[in-house]
Amino acid sequence: MPLVPLPHLLADRPVFAFNVIQIEHAEAILAGAEQAKAAVVLQISENAVRYHGALAPLAAATRLAAERSGARAALHLDHATEPRLIHEAADCGFGSVMYDGSTLPWAENLKATAELAAWCHDNGLAIEAELGEVGGKDGAHAPGVRTDPAEAAEFVARTGVDALAVAVGSEHAMTARTASLDLDLIARLRDAVPVPLVLHGSSGVPDGTLVAAVGAGMRKINVSTHLNRLFTDAVRDALAADPKLVDPRKWLAPGRTAVADEVARLLGLITQA
């Protein structure tokens, strides 16, 4: 199925976005989406590009896997901090990118984001930005790291971004699903900002809170570490069960299946929301 631009998916209903680290991730995410009969966002992050040494090979494999699947899917560049990578994404078939200037001072983040948003729109890309610190340098609950609704409204108006990642209590790279979100802040941000809100660090958020967050106004839910943990657990179990295994297909397949099943389950939460 042809790739779908991210704004089109977000206009229909809230969506989950899952990170692709290797081809097995892409295959598993798409299989889970087909199983759930739901749309999905395939994300490739700057960290994954750094791991592989280049964007184009993984992007090409992910794009072809999506086009040959029966799932409605968008291809999105996640957490890019360098304009060069955003420019490259336009040549690799991405429909949207996320520029992360959240660690910059507010004025610098606004200026850099506005310039990149103009370039993206001129080149057919939608752009997501971040305001506030997801996880923050001192943790998700430190003073000053959460997104202020008034600042968010001004930021969106002056940059022209298509979606906004906001800091509301989640943290990146959590392996336990114990995060507590500020649902009232999500609702106030929803009322203040005219573009879809994005929840980063969703791996640490329990199911019920994810459903409540969508109900309060979140439209794009990013998940990575949670799937990686399940993938790794399944691989460990396969290798422990048969120490003679040497064919990577024999121990990667259980990880791929575990991710596909969890993607399908998580996508079902959208229906509940």
Side-chain angles (χ1 to χ4, degrees):
M1 183 176 294
L3 289 169
V4 181
L6 179 60
H8 292 187
L9 292 186
L10 293 174
D12 291 342
R13 62 172 57 195
V15 296
F16 270 94
F18 301 104
N19 283 65
V20 174
I21 297 174
Q22 56 196 21
I23 188 61
E24 283 80 8
H25 281 86
E27 293 168 342
I29 293 163
L30 291 163
E34 288 183 337
Q35 183 180 333
K37 296 181 174 58
V40 71
V41 180
L42 297 159
Q43 301 191 146
I44 298 176
S45 72
E46 187 173 272
N47 284 338
V49 174
R50 190 175 298 115
Y51 167 74
H52 287 284
L55 173 62
L58 183 60
T62 302
R63 186 181 70 251
L64 286 172
E67 290 173 347
R68 295 180 181 183
S69 80
R72 296 179 72 225
L75 181 60
H76 179 75
L77 180 67
D78 187 36
H79 276 291
T81 60
E82 297 187 17
R84 172 196 58 80
L85 190 59
I86 291 173
H87 297 164
E88 186 179 352
D91 297 327
C92 290
F94 285 75
S96 57
V97 300
M98 185 237 179
Y99 171 64
D100 185 358
S102 62
T103 60
L104 299 172
W106 191 86
E108 291 182 30
N109 185 11
L110 188 148
K111 181 176 183 295
T113 301
E115 291 174 354
L116 281 170
W119 186 92
C120 285
H121 293 156
D122 286 344
N123 288 272
L125 294 175
I127 182 170
E128 171 191 332
E130 182 172 324
L131 190 63
E133 295 182 43
V134 179
K137 293 179 181 178
D138 301 312
H141 306 292
V145 302
R146 296 196 179 180
T147 308
D148 176 79
E151 286 190 353
E154 181 181 358
F155 187 86
V156 169
R158 293 178 63 180
T159 60
V161 295
D162 303 286
L164 186 68
V166 291
V168 293
S170 57
E171 297 183 57
H172 287 297
M174 287 186 67
T175 56
R177 304 185 72 202
T178 57
S180 176
L181 302 183
D182 188 335
L183 298 175
D184 178 67
L185 176 58
I186 294 173
R188 288 190 288 121
L189 287 163
R190 175 202 64 206
D191 292 341
V193 176
V195 298
L197 298 178
V198 183
L199 181 66
H200 284 240
S202 304
S203 290
V205 182
D207 285 357
T209 307
L210 285 177
V211 172
V214 170
M218 284 293 175
R219 299 290 294 178
K220 177 171 173 275
I221 310 297
N222 287 15
V223 175
S224 181
T225 301
H226 176 57
L227 296 186
N228 293 339
R229 182 179 62 80
L230 294 175
F231 188 102
T232 303
D233 287 348
V235 168
R236 283 198 181 105
D237 289 344
L239 290 171
D242 186 356
K244 295 181 180 180
L245 278 182
V246 294
D247 185 343
R249 291 169 294 188
K250 300 291 186 180
W251 47 264
L252 285 171
R256 183 174 59 186
T257 298
V259 169
D261 290 344
E262 182 64 2
V263 165
R265 192 191 72 79
L266 288 172
L267 289 172
L269 296 179
I270 294 294
T271 303
Q272 294 182 34

